Amino acid sequence: MRCPYWYVASQDNLLYRKLSLCTPKCFKKLIILQYRTTLRLILHSQISSIEKQATTATGCPLLIRCKNFQIIQLIIPQERDCHDVYISLIRLARPVKYEELYCFSFNPKLDKEEREQGWKLVGLNEEYNRMGVPNNYWQISDVNRDYQVCDSYPNEVYVPKSATAHIIVGSSKFRSRRRFPALSYYCKDNNASICRSSQPLSGFSARCLEDEQMLQAIRKANPGSNFIYVVDTRPKLNAMANRAAGKGYESEDNYSNIKFQFIGIENIHVMRNSLQKMLEVCELRSPSMSDFLWGLENSGWLKHIKAIMDAGIFIAKAVAEEGVSVLVHCSDGWDRTAQVCSVASLLLDPFYRTMKGFMVLIEKDWVSFGHKFNHRYGNLDGDPKEISPVMDQFIECVWQLMEQFPCAFEFNERFLIHIQHHIYSCQFGNFLCNSQKERRELKIQERTYSLWAHLWKNRADYMNPLYRADHSQTQGTLRPQTAPCNFLYKFWSGMYNRFEKGIHPRQSVTDYLMAVKEETQQLEEELEVLEQRLANLNKVQLYNGKENSKQQDQNTHLGLSIANNSIANTPQDYVNNVKSFPSRSPSQGDEEDSALILTQDNLKSSDPDLSANSDQESGVEDLSCRSPSGGGCLPSEDSGKDPDSDEAVFLTI
Amino acid sequence: MEFAELIKTPRADNVVLHRPFYPAVEGTLCLTGHHLILSSRRQDNAEELWLLHSNIDSIEKRFVGSLGTIIIKCKDLRIIQLDIPGMEECLNIASSIEALSTLDSVTLMYPFFYRPMFEVVEDGWRAFLPEREFEHLSSVTNEWRLSYVNKDFSVCPSYPPAVTVPKSIDDEALRRVATFRHGGRFPVLSYYHKKNGMAMMRSSQPLTGTNGRRCKEDSALINATLRAGKRGYIIDTRSLNVAQQARAKGGGFEQEVQYPQWRRIHKSIERYNILQESLIKLVEACNDQSHNMDRWLSKLEASNWLTHIKEILTAACLAAQCIDREGASVLVHGTEGTDSTLQITSLAQIILDPRCRTIRGFEALVEREWLQAGHPFQQRCAQSAYSNSKQKWESPVFFLFLDCVWQILRQFPCSFEFNDQFLILLFEHAYASQFGTFLGNNENERCKLKLPQKTMSLWSWVNRPQELSKFKNPLFEANSLVIWPSVAPQSLQLWEGVFLRWSRSSKFLDEAYEEMNNIIEYNKELQAKVNALRRQLAELETDDGMQESS
């Protein structure tokens, strides 16, 4: 690392600016790139791929693609250095042991008690109680104590009261990976429930009495209905192919009183390729409208999102409108099943549309039921074929719903984006490992911190200003429009082009309204004080009360300070023939988002020359645990004053 | 009265009306000279439907036994269905609607018959006179003058009587330049950028022809807008190829040799029926009931509508960039200078000039850059997305402009005084209206039709406080800066408020808008209360002080 400077280009256009040397020390968990007052952190865990590109006159470019859709190009003057960096990053981006992950060294300076409190913020026992179980129909079962029956299930599961341990164990033996039917959501108004499992090992003709009894028990737990839906979220062809391998789906002939339904959501490999294709479209430089729309369509991404939504809508309708219980499964019941159950829950229950409720929902349907976070998001080096954007899709479904029901969610888009970020960041322990069992063995709760506490602490940044607990959209079941609805599903540029600030609306309605609401609150307080003073004044007027004439104009004007205008002030390239990377508009100001953000305030804690900082790790920690800056106070940077910005490229034609 | 001849069956009972988002209603259908009215026997006797014939784009008839069905497709993109018992009635009504919705004579149009039920506070016909605009200009510069060379429309039939030109150019020179420009549309001032004194002019193509005809006065006219030693930009809205082809028909473009101080940039913006077809395809895709995601995206793509939006916006941004960032004067033209030219010049002003982002300023812009500038509204907006007439002159040029404004509004939601409802209003009225504003193809025609005397202006109606409040953007905060929109495909979206207006329920979005309004209203209310209390306290306290000191 002899070179004094690297150059960096990223989507948000830190275009070929000189960067201070990064010392090898800070390579432990992340790279720090700094330009003047702008710091950029790239967590190694976020690195999705590193590509060495052809050497140019300036140096050797390294293209780093991140899992949070950031793309950064480093240009390192010396070929040898570049190779070193490349090799180190390849290694560091693919840790082999959990202990190497960031969360084990991340320290937000909280004491033990605060850490424990943080983990207690979201509790599933409370949640099941809130749903209304245990009750006459459902009970908690300890059959999976010590994970004896199913190692990817939680140790406590809710099952129908009439399902004995014998039935459960018998059923589990007839299900892939022993994932037997268990309660995901219970609707106390009509006793209908959503249960989840994996596929039955039915092959072409196999039967299992206990499994059939298990489904009967689920039906009986809902006395209002004489059948249950069994929803297989796979395309029919896939499910049939599974029969040859001794797996498959339930036959209506063998199970009494079920209605069987396929909902064609594709498997993780199709989804991975689809995302890949869509990201290629997002990366196109100056694409034409046709390039973009064609690419988007060819990726099939929105079609997949719609399939997941449709499944969720089907289930929510069955539960809320028909009062029929539903058993959902796919193959192993930890990907599509998790997506569909959580979308359905979100539609059914307004609680899950609150900030706390959403955390609970993720804990319930994803974390506790053994969604394989480690495999799906590649936290540890593993089989690349296991990686798939399953949770990303769920998060997008939520965003699509937010677009259709702007008042229905307590949280805003930023909340979703930050959760997505932390699924990959490994900064908090919540999403580590593949199951509850593994997490307990690693003692995650004693050794790492909970993301939920971190988000909760900064909840003011994640509020949807349009949310009101007594608004009609926050009551009852959400009923998205179903026909015709293709055009309701839109490309989410806020996520997939998240780091290209230039293409997003330059003024945020959410931030504006949040500022207004904050001001409103101050006004309410002031009003109270003024009324009080007026009352006092009237009282003491007889005595010529002098004490009342304190400075009254202390805060005469609570002007809204939304620096949203300044970022409006830069033109972009309107000619479409830019040669250099990146393609879009010059710097829009160094707006950032939470975990990656550093503004002037906390620069003090990180000396520009990082090698001079004795305590590397803590310096870094300080930066990363800072509360999100939100969009409300963007540092204003008029590029007109910026000597490095290169605008008006159109004149080079 | 000739209308009566066209109405064979003025009234039909037991007609069932189907329309988006409402349950079917049964009622009595009445045809008048200008309206199709359906009233049900509801308690309040309210009309369920009151549709202007001129809003009807096309109709279809269908029969099942003796029950006839008429499907009416409107210029505002709505589709409604009327079930009419009795074959004869149905046929009569259909043919009447067809005849009444395609009247040839402008003077038979509804605006000539409309009697306003409101009090006119300010006459919209006189609200945006060029003189007033010029007054504003002369307060910041004296380099320009108002010329009445076209006062009897003899120099340029599609220009207004008064135009702004460089002071140094006399009327004689203007006359000569007019003979060198297509349709006599000599370069005139479109926008003056106060910040740096740069000007945007617009014109039609120069008539250079194949033998390179030239006109001294023409170059003198546009050079008069240049600062010493500075270059200007000519933005030709046609591709170089198209511009070259135009020479064969006597048109052409400014050659470097004759205009050495100008740099020409060609931007390819589509015109005429290509745009109309694009609109037809887009609306077809939006009305498609199929459930296939892929088909939706490829149909959206195939319509090319968003491609046109991107091209127009890009060219407008380029013009604005030349003026604001390069400090250069700009001349914009295409062929006639009545379509793509106006899209570019008006959008560039929205980007550059905060005034154009206010309601009044936007009205002035539409008046100046579209109506007075001679955009042939009557030809362009004769038919909309459901027409089968395929006439070359029918083209959604103004509609595209409004869509582009919506795209900028979406990217800068706090910088506009008006909301998207205002843009939708203008879209509707450009195609069918009780007001005379968008009748005729230019000022000359409007003058001959005596529109200001015989019809009501849209502005007279909309500028009354009770109407205006519906179109005010609650998020508006005056933004004095230039606003640079993004033209990346990810940033451009389908204008749902117009295109999906009749195919998806906007209930939840409307609720959100209302909620937003409430939040802001409540804030303002509190602000007022707090201020009042502060004042009250201050008074009381000074009273106390006085009592004390006395």
Side-chain angles (χ1 to χ4, degrees):
Chain A
M1 306 292 156
R2 283 157 299 262
C3 51
Y5 294 115
W6 288 358
Y7 300 90
V8 68
S10 76
Q11 293 135 303
D12 46 346
N13 300 297
L14 278 159
L15 186 62
Y16 294 104
R17 287 164 166 184
K18 285 180 180 175
L19 289 165
S20 337
L21 169 68
C22 307
T23 66
K25 263 189 172 177
C26 61
F27 277 125
K28 219 165 167 182
K29 296 290 178 249
L30 69 169
I31 316 169
I32 298 183
L33 305 170
Q34 178 177 21
Y35 171 74
R36 289 192 192 157
T37 57
T38 311
L39 283 180
R40 183 128 321 182
L41 307 183
I42 312 164
L43 287 168
H44 291 152
S45 52
Q46 285 286 3
I47 294 175
S48 159
S49 73
I50 311 157
E51 197 183 307
K52 256 167 97 176
Q53 296 175 311
T55 309
T56 64
T58 3
C60 309
L62 268 188
L63 191 70
I64 302 177
R65 289 191 176 84
C66 299
K67 293 166 182 171
N68 61 4
F69 312 116
Q70 184 170 26
I71 300 171
I72 287 202
Q73 189 183 37
L74 297 172
I75 297 174
I76 303 170
Q78 297 293 324
E79 158 86 65
R80 195 168 30 158
D81 293 337
C82 176
H83 190 70
D84 286 352
V85 172
Y86 176 70
I87 296 296
S88 341
L89 282 182
I90 290 245
R91 164 69 190 87
L92 289 164
R94 288 171 199 159
V96 290
K97 285 204 324 264
Y98 282 120
E99 281 75 6
E100 289 177 59
L101 293 175
Y102 186 27
C103 56
F104 288 101
S105 51
F106 170 69
N107 177 5
K109 306 226 166 73
L110 296 175
D111 59 31
K112 185 161 168 280
E113 203 172 312
E114 284 171 303
R115 160 151 60 193
E116 282 167 7
Q117 283 301 317
W119 282 111
K120 279 186 197 138
L121 187 70
V122 169
L124 287 185
N125 277 336
E126 282 166 54
E127 169 53 14
Y128 285 105
N129 292 339
R130 187 197 66 87
M131 279 184 210
V133 290
N135 61 8
N136 284 338
Y137 306 110
W138 294 89
Q139 66 182 8
I140 195 163
S141 162
D142 64 351
V143 70
N144 200 35
R145 194 180 47 225
D146 301 326
Y147 310 102
Q148 300 161 345
V149 176
C150 173
D151 61 1
S152 60
Y153 261 22
N155 58 350
E156 288 182 342
V157 284
Y158 284 82
V159 291
K161 234 176 183 168
S162 59
T164 61
H166 172 73
I167 292 178
I168 299 171
V169 173
S171 164
S172 79
K173 288 181 181 153
F174 191 64
R175 296 269 166 186
S176 272
R177 308 205 187 246
R178 302 190 140 217
R179 293 169 66 92
F180 56 88
L183 183 72
S184 162
Y185 180 72
Y186 172 75
C187 177
K188 46 174 183 249
D189 300 336
N190 60 8
N191 296 318
S193 64
I194 303 174
C195 294
R196 56 183 293 170
S197 70
S198 60
Q199 63 187 339
L201 304 175
S202 53
F204 290 100
S205 59
R207 293 181 65 162
C208 168
L209 183 63
E210 290 88 351
D211 195 56
E212 287 163 27
Q213 286 170 336
M214 187 72 190
L215 266 63
Q216 283 288 2
I218 293 172
R219 184 185 61 76
K220 279 192 229 140
N222 178 11
S225 164
N226 51 15
F227 72 97
I228 64 168
Y229 282 110
V230 175
V231 172
D232 189 329
T233 57
R234 297 169 294 183
K236 190 172 181 185
L237 218 60
N238 300 19
M240 282 167 65
N242 262 302
R243 294 209 319 205
K247 299 163 188 172
Y249 52 91
E250 294 83 354
S251 153
E252 288 188 6
D253 300 336
N254 298 345
Y255 292 82
S256 48
N257 306 319
I258 66 163
K259 282 193 183 167
F260 188 83
Q261 179 87 32
F262 283 115
I263 296 183
I265 302 174
E266 298 290 348
N267 64 26
I268 57 166
H269 312 294
V270 174
M271 300 306 193
R272 180 178 55 244
N273 293 335
S274 173
L275 177 66
Q276 187 52 41
K277 279 191 195 158
M278 184 175 72
L279 292 180
E280 278 162 23
V281 177
C282 298
E283 271 182 52
L284 289 176
R285 292 173 206 180
S286 315
S288 72
M289 206 71 219
S290 296
D291 293 339
F292 177 73
L293 290 173
W294 263 116
L296 188 59
E297 164 166 342
N298 283 337
S299 77
W301 182 259
L302 288 174
K303 191 176 68 187
H304 299 314
I305 295 294
K306 183 174 179 295
I308 298 165
M309 286 294 305
D310 285 347
I313 292 169
F314 175 85
I315 293 165
K317 225 171 151 182
V319 169
E321 284 169 28
E322 299 178 51
V324 177
S325 295
V326 185
L327 171 67
V328 187
H329 69 73
C330 45
S331 297
D332 290 319
W334 51 37
D335 293 316
R336 285 169 276 201
T337 300
Q339 289 176 328
V340 167
C341 287
S342 48
V343 167
S345 298
L346 200 68
L347 292 171
L348 283 167
D349 196 329
F351 173 65
Y352 298 125
R353 307 195 287 262
T354 64
M355 217 175 278
K356 197 74 154 284
F358 192 67
M359 298 172 182
V360 169
L361 182 66
I362 290 176
E363 282 292 332
K364 170 173 78 82
D365 280 330
W366 296 82
V367 178
S368 83
F369 273 105
H371 176 63
K372 300 200 293 174
F373 283 94
N374 175 36
H375 286 165
R376 295 293 172 259
Y377 313 113
N379 297 339
L380 294 187
D381 195 20
D383 181 0
K385 287 214 164 61
E386 282 280 321
I387 293 175
S388 187
V390 182
M391 186 102 181
D392 302 64
Q393 288 183 316
F394 165 65
I395 289 175
E396 175 164 342
C397 286
V398 182
W399 178 80
Q400 301 280 3
L401 281 173
M402 277 162 61
E403 286 288 289
Q404 294 179 38
F405 299 92
C407 306
F409 293 83
E410 191 190 18
F411 46 87
N412 58 28
E413 180 184 15
R414 199 178 295 142
F415 186 63
L416 296 179
I417 290 175
H418 287 179
I419 290 176
Q420 192 272 353
H421 174 85
H422 286 295
I423 283 165
Y424 292 94
S425 76
C426 300
Q427 189 176 346
F428 298 93
N430 305 59
F431 306 130
L432 238 49
C433 306
N434 292 320
S435 66
Q436 192 181 71
K437 183 171 174 245
E438 286 182 50
R439 274 187 297 275
R440 297 229 166 141
E441 281 163 5
L442 264 180
K443 298 198 181 352
I444 291 292
Q445 299 210 352
E446 288 151 51
R447 299 166 71 192
T448 72
Y449 293 86
S450 168
L451 168 66
W452 306 131
H454 171 74
L455 293 177
W456 187 248
K457 196 178 82 203
N458 301 309
R459 60 188 174 277
D461 291 319
Y462 301 123
M463 283 288 181
N464 171 13
L466 295 175
Y467 177 85
R468 200 157 36 81
D470 54 352
H471 193 280
S472 62
Q473 287 182 33
T474 59
Q475 319 299 315
T477 307
L478 285 188
R479 293 187 172 81
Q481 199 176 338
T482 43
C485 58
N486 297 319
F487 40 66
L488 294 177
Y489 296 98
K490 289 180 280 194
F491 172 72
W492 188 8
S493 61
M495 177 63 91
Y496 305 105
N497 281 116
R498 151 184 187 203
F499 288 91
E500 293 195 45
K501 304 295 184 202
I503 70 167
H504 304 306
R506 309 305 170 88
Q507 294 171 324
S508 156
V509 175
T510 301
D511 292 337
Y512 181 88
L513 289 178
M514 262 153 67
V516 170
K517 280 188 115 169
E518 201 183 309
E519 193 201 46
T520 300
Q521 206 181 344
Q522 288 169 12
L523 284 170
E524 275 170 344
E525 283 160 20
E526 196 192 347
L527 192 68
E528 207 171 303
V529 172
L530 287 174
E531 273 166 354
Q532 188 65 45
R533 264 171 56 189
L534 198 66
N536 287 345
L537 202 60
N538 285 336
K539 249 187 262 167
V540 298
Q541 216 168 14
L542 295 166
Y543 310 104
N544 272 346
K546 199 178 175 184
E547 66 280 3
N548 278 324
S549 51
K550 287 176 204 152
Q551 313 122 306
Q552 51 167 40
D553 293 318
Q554 219 161 24
N555 53 355
T556 40
H557 188 63
L558 301 156
L560 295 178
S561 56
I562 307 154
N564 53 14
N565 286 342
S566 54
I567 50 162
N569 215 7
T570 319
Q572 54 166 220
D573 161 35
Y574 296 116
V575 174
N576 291 343
N577 64 343
V578 204
K579 287 141 207 126
S580 58
F581 176 91
S583 58
R584 294 210 178 83
S585 70
S587 169
Q588 297 291 333
D590 298 311
E591 176 201 10
E592 275 295 325
D593 65 300
S594 82
L596 295 174
I597 301 173
L598 306 161
T599 48
Q600 269 106 331
D601 320 1
N602 47 26
L603 259 179
K604 289 175 199 102
S605 60
S606 63
D607 193 318
D609 180 7
L610 285 156
S611 59
N613 194 334
S614 54
D615 183 3
Q616 274 310 306
E617 231 34 334
S618 72
V620 169
E621 285 149 12
D622 239 21
L623 311 176
S624 346
C625 67
R626 189 186 157 318
S627 77
S629 68
C633 45
L634 315 176
S636 59
E637 181 186 310
D638 183 341
S639 68
K641 298 170 207 143
D642 186 342
D644 286 350
S645 78
D646 57 343
E647 57 210 23
V649 200
F650 72 89
L651 289 174
T652 59
I653 40 168
Chain B
M1 177 73 227
E2 28 207 318
F3 292 126
E5 294 163 22
L6 296 172
I7 305 171
K8 291 174 212 144
T9 303
R11 199 189 133 112
D13 287 323
N14 305 321
V15 174
V16 179
L17 165 71
H18 306 267
R19 72 206 138 142
F21 313 126
Y22 291 95
V25 282
E26 196 185 301
T28 301
L29 183 76
C30 294
L31 286 186
T32 72
H34 294 103
H35 286 98
L36 186 149
I37 303 157
L38 186 117
S39 37
S40 65
R41 256 164 240 103
R42 259 185 7 192
Q43 297 273 304
D44 53 3
N45 239 348
E47 275 76 27
E48 299 285 353
L49 181 73
W50 190 286
L51 187 72
L52 259 182
H53 292 315
S54 58
N55 191 1
I56 295 171
D57 210 21
S58 79
I59 74 164
E60 285 164 26
K61 309 176 278 263
R62 264 191 239 146
F63 291 97
V64 181
S66 67
L67 180 75
T69 291
I70 302 178
I71 293 167
I72 298 177
K73 299 184 174 179
C74 303
K75 289 174 187 166
D76 61 13
L77 310 183
R78 172 173 30 162
I79 298 178
I80 58 173
Q81 182 187 326
L82 294 170
D83 297 339
I84 303 167
M87 184 162 329
E88 201 192 328
E89 280 89 346
C90 185
L91 279 171
N92 283 345
I93 287 169
S95 68
S96 302
I97 294 174
E98 215 154 353
L100 290 165
S101 60
T102 51
L103 294 173
D104 301 330
S105 169
V106 184
T107 50
L108 291 179
M109 302 289 265
Y110 186 51
F112 287 93
F113 299 84
Y114 170 69
R115 292 289 154 260
M117 305 290 282
F118 59 87
E119 198 189 336
V120 178
V121 184
E122 183 198 14
D123 181 7
W125 289 112
R126 306 196 50 79
F128 304 102
L129 297 176
E131 284 78 5
R132 224 185 259 190
E133 231 9 81
F134 184 75
E135 228 168 78
H136 183 79
L137 177 70
S138 48
S139 68
V140 286
T141 168
N142 57 7
E143 295 164 346
W144 301 85
R145 69 185 183 91
L146 205 58
S147 165
Y148 290 94
V149 67
N150 196 40
K151 65 176 181 298
D152 48 7
F153 305 104
S154 58
V155 176
C156 170
S158 62
Y159 267 177
V163 288
T164 308
V165 293
K167 205 169 208 170
S168 56
I169 306 299
D170 62 24
D171 283 359
E172 198 37 50
L174 292 178
R175 276 192 199 96
R176 245 174 266 147
V177 177
T179 62
F180 182 66
R181 292 274 172 179
H182 191 121
R185 294 175 68 92
F186 54 88
V188 295
L189 181 75
S190 162
Y191 171 67
Y192 180 83
H193 199 44
K194 261 186 284 186
K195 194 166 118 190
N196 59 11
M198 291 302 128
M200 178 163 59
M201 315 256 297
R202 55 175 159 75
S203 69
S204 59
Q205 64 177 349
L207 302 174
T208 55
T210 37
N211 49 8
R213 205 180 135 216
R214 55 183 302 180
C215 172
K216 269 200 327 281
E217 290 82 359
D218 189 73
S219 41
L221 168 53
I222 66 169
N223 286 346
T225 67
L226 295 177
R227 296 267 183 278
K230 285 283 253 178
R231 297 222 298 182
Y233 290 87
I234 294 172
I235 296 177
D236 193 322
T237 63
R238 304 161 296 179
S239 67
L240 180 59
N241 221 345
V242 174
Q244 275 166 344
Q245 283 163 10
R247 288 194 298 196
K249 290 184 203 150
F253 53 87
E254 295 82 354
Q255 300 278 7
E256 282 80 358
V257 256
Q258 284 145 28
Y259 299 86
Q261 288 164 285
W262 293 83
R263 241 192 98 170
R264 221 176 52 242
I265 302 175
H266 289 274
K267 282 283 178 187
S268 169
I269 292 175
E270 289 298 349
R271 53 206 78 218
Y272 305 128
N273 43 340
I274 291 182
L275 300 180
Q276 185 77 3
E277 273 160 33
S278 171
L279 174 66
I280 291 171
K281 279 191 197 157
L282 175 66
V283 171
E284 218 176 78
C286 293
N287 291 340
D288 181 13
Q289 302 287 313
S290 84
H291 286 245
N292 191 329
M293 192 75 214
D294 285 351
R295 280 191 33 216
W296 160 244
L297 280 175
S298 55
K299 280 182 168 180
L300 178 64
E301 191 275 326
S303 79
N304 272 330
W305 184 264
L306 288 172
T307 300
H308 300 313
I309 297 282
K310 181 166 153 64
E311 280 165 359
I312 295 165
L313 267 178
T314 306
C317 291
L318 178 68
Q321 211 172 0
C322 289
I323 294 167
D324 187 65
R325 293 287 158 142
E326 291 302 310
S329 283
V330 171
L331 169 68
V332 184
H333 70 73
T335 306
E336 284 110 330
T338 53
D339 296 289
S340 53
T341 305
L342 305 182
Q343 288 172 329
I344 305 313
T345 57
S346 53
L347 286 168
Q349 292 180 55
I350 294 208
I351 294 165
L352 293 169
D353 187 358
R355 219 160 49 105
C356 295
R357 297 173 224 142
T358 64
I359 291 180
R360 187 127 192 133
F362 190 73
E363 290 171 354
L365 181 77
V366 169
E367 190 65 45
R368 199 169 67 231
E369 289 299 298
W370 290 89
L371 292 160
Q372 292 164 11
H375 174 67
F377 275 97
Q378 195 158 314
Q379 289 183 351
R380 298 288 180 262
C381 302
Q383 299 265 253
S384 165
Y386 303 117
S387 91
N388 331 311
S389 73
K390 306 248 154 71
Q391 297 290 355
K392 192 190 173 191
W393 57 77
E394 290 161 5
S395 182
V397 178
F398 184 65
F399 191 178
L400 275 161
F401 158 71
L402 293 176
D403 195 334
C404 289
V405 176
W406 178 81
Q407 304 284 350
I408 307 177
L409 168 64
R410 204 190 67 83
Q411 295 186 29
F412 295 90
C414 307
S415 298
F416 288 80
E417 196 193 359
F418 49 88
N419 56 22
D420 70 331
Q421 291 306 313
F422 188 62
L423 298 173
I424 295 173
L425 174 92
L426 293 184
F427 157 67
E428 287 176 341
H429 283 274
Y431 281 87
S433 177
Q434 66 268 46
F435 303 107
T437 300
F438 292 106
L439 290 183
N441 289 308
N442 49 51
E443 290 294 273
N444 190 4
E445 289 186 21
R446 277 179 210 111
C447 206
K448 283 186 191 140
L449 289 168
K450 296 198 168 59
L451 289 180
Q453 293 82 38
K454 294 187 168 168
T455 72
M456 181 58 64
S457 161
L458 171 64
W459 315 129
S460 306
W461 175 71
V462 81
N463 281 344
R464 294 164 312 130
Q466 60 269 48
E467 282 306 317
L468 221 45
S469 63
K470 292 181 215 156
F471 304 116
K472 282 201 168 149
N473 175 9
L475 299 169
F476 178 59
E477 290 227 320
N479 173 0
S480 60
L481 297 171
V482 175
I483 54 174
W484 300 105
S486 161
V487 295
Q490 290 95 322
S491 312
L492 303 177
Q493 292 190 356
L494 181 72
W495 187 6
E496 297 182 12
V498 166
F499 293 108
L500 304 182
R501 184 176 175 192
W502 312 106
S503 41
R504 62 119 168 85
S505 158
S506 63
K507 177 170 174 266
F508 303 117
L509 304 179
D510 295 344
E511 283 173 0
Y513 185 83
E514 201 187 305
E515 188 64 26
M516 186 172 89
N517 231 337
N518 291 343
I519 290 170
I520 291 165
E521 280 306 311
Y522 179 57
N523 176 278
K524 282 184 185 155
E525 212 175 280
L526 274 183
Q527 191 92 60
K529 258 192 210 161
V530 165
N531 285 341
L533 273 186
R534 276 188 198 141
R535 245 184 329 243
Q536 206 180 335
L537 266 170
E539 275 164 23
L540 276 173
E541 279 164 338
T542 41
D543 283 355
D544 287 353
M546 274 158 62
Q547 279 171 24
E548 198 180 324
S549 59
S550 62

